[in-house]
Amino acid sequence: MSVLDNKIIVSFEVNNRPVELLVAPNRTLLDVLREDLGLTGVKHGCDDSNCGVCTVIMDGKAVKSCSILIGQAQGTKVTTIEGLETENGLHPLQKAFIEHFAIQCGFCTPGMILSAKALLDENPNATEDEIREALHGNICRCTGYKKIVEAIEAARDEMNGKA
């Protein structure tokens, strides 16, 4: 990372693609992802890390991108909801959210899915309680969480070959 005319050059990876940007150091990862890279699956919500709609995966951990200054992304690997789909189609979590009616308005869905993915990558056999704990800090005003947890459990089972 270098400084040039009150801007910094930041290099990191987004959805398995290298990115190098010249940006103001006071910008957040959320703003850069949405405004500079066009990744609008990451949502802009509360701006103080309470709602979870801006959740992305950074170096394997679910993080609130509204609280990450862009310089903190230097050298990291970031995954947004747009990075989950592969040539084989939707990720099992994305499919499960659709099949289990875990989406209503959809605003919280990317953050929920990425929080669940980070959990299942770290703990493939997560229990219902562990799933609920991983979703702590992701607010959904529509579903009441039951369908979301059911979808994550279904995806977990499919990913473990139990479905």
Side-chain angles (χ1 to χ4, degrees):
M1 181 168 46
S2 62
V3 179
L4 190 64
D5 294 326
N6 294 324
K7 292 193 176 185
I8 58 173
I9 297 172
V10 182
S11 300
F12 59 110
E13 190 175 291
V14 179
N15 298 332
N16 299 314
R17 292 192 180 111
V19 172
E20 185 172 273
L21 301 165
L22 179 64
V23 294
N26 64 340
R27 295 188 63 210
T28 64
L29 177 59
L30 167 65
D31 291 335
V32 170
L33 290 171
R34 287 184 60 82
E35 296 167 14
D36 298 22
L37 301 177
L39 298 168
T40 57
V42 60
K43 304 300 182 202
H44 195 145
C46 67
D47 275 335
D48 62 9
S49 299
N50 283 317
C51 71
V53 300
C54 68
T55 300
V56 297
I57 298 173
M58 178 185 274
D59 289 339
K61 303 287 182 199
V63 298
K64 311 286 177 51
S65 63
C66 73
S67 66
I68 306 287
L69 288 174
I70 191 59
Q72 294 173 284
Q74 175 65 32
T76 65
K77 293 182 179 187
V78 174
T79 303
T80 69
I81 195 72
E82 292 91 344
L84 290 191
E85 187 174 3
T86 68
E87 63 276 352
N88 297 326
L90 295 177
H91 186 278
L93 280 162
Q94 291 170 307
K95 285 191 267 184
F97 267 64
I98 293 166
E99 292 167 358
H100 291 268
F101 305 102
I103 302 169
Q104 286 189 17
C105 83
F107 196 69
C108 71
T109 304
M112 292 283 187
I113 289 173
L114 291 167
S115 292
K117 182 178 186 318
L119 169 68
L120 296 177
D121 285 349
E122 186 176 307
N123 180 3
N125 297 303
T127 65
E128 179 182 342
D129 287 342
E130 291 167 328
I131 291 168
R132 289 183 180 278
E133 179 61 30
L135 296 179
H136 183 77
N138 291 76
I139 297 173
C140 176
R141 298 186 185 271
C142 302
T143 67
Y145 302 94
K146 183 174 178 9
K147 295 288 185 186
I148 292 169
V149 172
E150 289 173 356
I152 295 167
E153 289 174 320
R156 173 204 61 205
D157 293 346
E158 179 185 335
M159 292 163 66
N160 288 330
K162 296 178 184 175

